Amino acid sequence: RGSAPRAWVCSLLARAPGRMEVVDIPFDRTTEWLLERRIVGASYTKSLRTVHARLAAALAAERPAEAPAVAQLVPPGTERASLTYFDAKAVMQALLDAGLGEKTLFGGYSNAHTAQWADIVRRFEAGSIHLADAASAMAQAVGYELPALKKEAARAEKELSELVRRQGEYERLAAAAEERYVAACDKKGLGTDCSREEIGRRLRESRSLLRATFARVAALCQSEEMGGAVEYYLAYVRHCLEAAARLGADVGAKAAPPDVTADGADRAGKAAKAKGKAKGAKGGEGAGGGAAAGGGTAAPAAVAD
């Protein structure tokens, strides 16, 4: 009854002599409440496993063709964990409504499907284990499945709002594109009828105009004026190529590398020797002149002695 799931309660009818009253208990302690008051036995889990095994066998069997409602209640592929006592009761009622409730002399059902589901319902009700099974299913649903469904619903609402926003944005883009398309059609002179078929028809009609245009262009290309223009263009291209060739030759000559061949090395060596001899000859002449000058100064000294 509060906002938190643990505050929810489960209402049961407590049978008392001569009266019935409602008892509110926490939903997650329903099984304990049933055990404390010995409404179900302590070994109810063993009996419940037996019922679940028989329920799984009934789900694996074929659905009776005489009762199509059974296939709707428990379609093929239904898992056992998703069914409870109340589902078994609904299947049993569908079989009875389909006229498959005939009994034998011993009180059993003559139809195999009806007998199988009647046994499941009877075992559920024996020892009131269907109450414990329903309590476990309720605790599982409230504690886990419902919060998961709430999260999934919130996520779906968020995705839906995002999709609605995108839809509005795409609609605005489509309207803007349509306006640009109509403006382009008006610019081309297509008028209000600017469909794909109209554009195709206009293109097919323009073929005759294109033939006349191509013929006029071909006649201009064959005229004398066009021939002169072509000759002028050829002379211009030829002049540019020759100028580029001359410029490349001049640049190559200025940037030519020194002679590094064997003959070039010999010539460089001879030139170096000749330069060295010339320097030596100049040095000898300087030395002789100095000696002569020295003799001239010594002679007067000898005479003086």
Side-chain angles (χ1 to χ4, degrees):
R1 293 179 180 177
S3 59
R6 293 188 60 85
W8 296 1
V9 295
C10 174
S11 298
L12 294 178
L13 294 177
R15 297 176 181 268
R19 72 180 190 276
M20 297 179 65
E21 58 183 19
V22 179
V23 178
D24 293 338
I25 59 175
F27 76 95
D28 54 350
R29 297 190 59 187
T30 306
T31 305
E32 297 178 7
W33 187 88
L34 294 172
L35 289 172
E36 289 175 357
R37 284 153 182 81
R38 298 180 181 180
I39 298 175
V40 296
S43 61
Y44 78 95
T45 55
K46 182 178 179 181
S47 302
L48 194 57
R49 283 195 297 269
T50 303
V51 177
H52 287 168
R54 291 181 178 273
L55 185 58
L59 291 175
E62 295 183 0
R63 308 300 184 262
E66 300 85 352
V70 176
Q72 297 177 1
L73 293 172
V74 284
T78 303
E79 297 182 358
R80 196 276 312 159
S82 62
L83 299 181
T84 61
Y85 162 77
F86 304 101
D87 298 313
K89 286 281 291 185
V91 172
M92 184 63 188
Q93 188 62 41
L95 292 171
L96 295 177
D97 294 340
L100 302 179
E102 296 181 0
K103 293 186 176 182
T104 62
L105 296 175
F106 300 98
Y109 290 98
S110 59
N111 185 273
H113 296 283
T114 307
Q116 189 177 25
W117 284 98
D119 179 65
I120 293 173
V121 173
R122 181 180 58 80
R123 289 178 179 273
F124 260 125
E125 294 176 349
S128 300
I129 62 174
H130 65 288
L131 295 178
D133 183 60
S136 299
M138 180 179 60
Q140 177 71 18
V142 175
Y144 299 98
E145 295 180 5
L146 290 180
L149 290 176
K150 287 183 178 180
K151 291 182 180 180
E152 186 176 355
R155 183 170 57 253
E157 290 179 356
K158 184 177 179 180
E159 292 179 358
L160 179 60
S161 61
E162 178 67 17
L163 292 175
V164 170
R165 185 190 66 79
R166 290 184 181 180
Q167 181 181 2
E169 182 178 355
Y170 293 153
E171 288 177 353
R172 289 193 297 271
L173 293 176
E178 186 176 1
E179 292 178 358
R180 292 195 300 270
Y181 181 72
V182 172
C185 290
D186 293 339
K187 186 177 180 180
K188 297 296 182 181
L190 296 176
T192 57
D193 188 6
C194 197
S195 61
R196 183 185 298 269
E197 293 76 11
E198 179 64 18
I199 295 175
R201 187 183 65 81
R202 295 289 185 90
L203 290 176
R204 288 189 294 271
E205 290 179 354
S206 64
R207 292 178 182 176
S208 58
L209 301 177
L210 290 176
R211 292 191 184 95
T213 303
F214 291 157
R216 186 169 64 256
V217 171
L220 290 175
C221 291
Q222 296 174 1
S223 62
E224 295 181 358
E225 291 82 359
M226 181 61 70
V230 171
E231 291 295 334
Y232 178 79
Y233 178 74
L234 290 176
Y236 172 74
V237 173
R238 190 179 301 111
H239 170 73
C240 291
L241 293 176
E242 291 176 355
R246 289 194 300 271
L247 180 62
D250 295 341
V251 172
K254 290 180 181 180
D259 192 359
V260 295
T261 60
D263 296 338
D266 294 340
R267 288 195 296 272
K270 291 179 180 180
K273 290 180 180 181
K275 188 180 290 187
K277 290 180 180 180
K279 289 183 178 181
K282 291 181 179 180
E285 292 177 358
T297 54
V303 174
D305 292 338

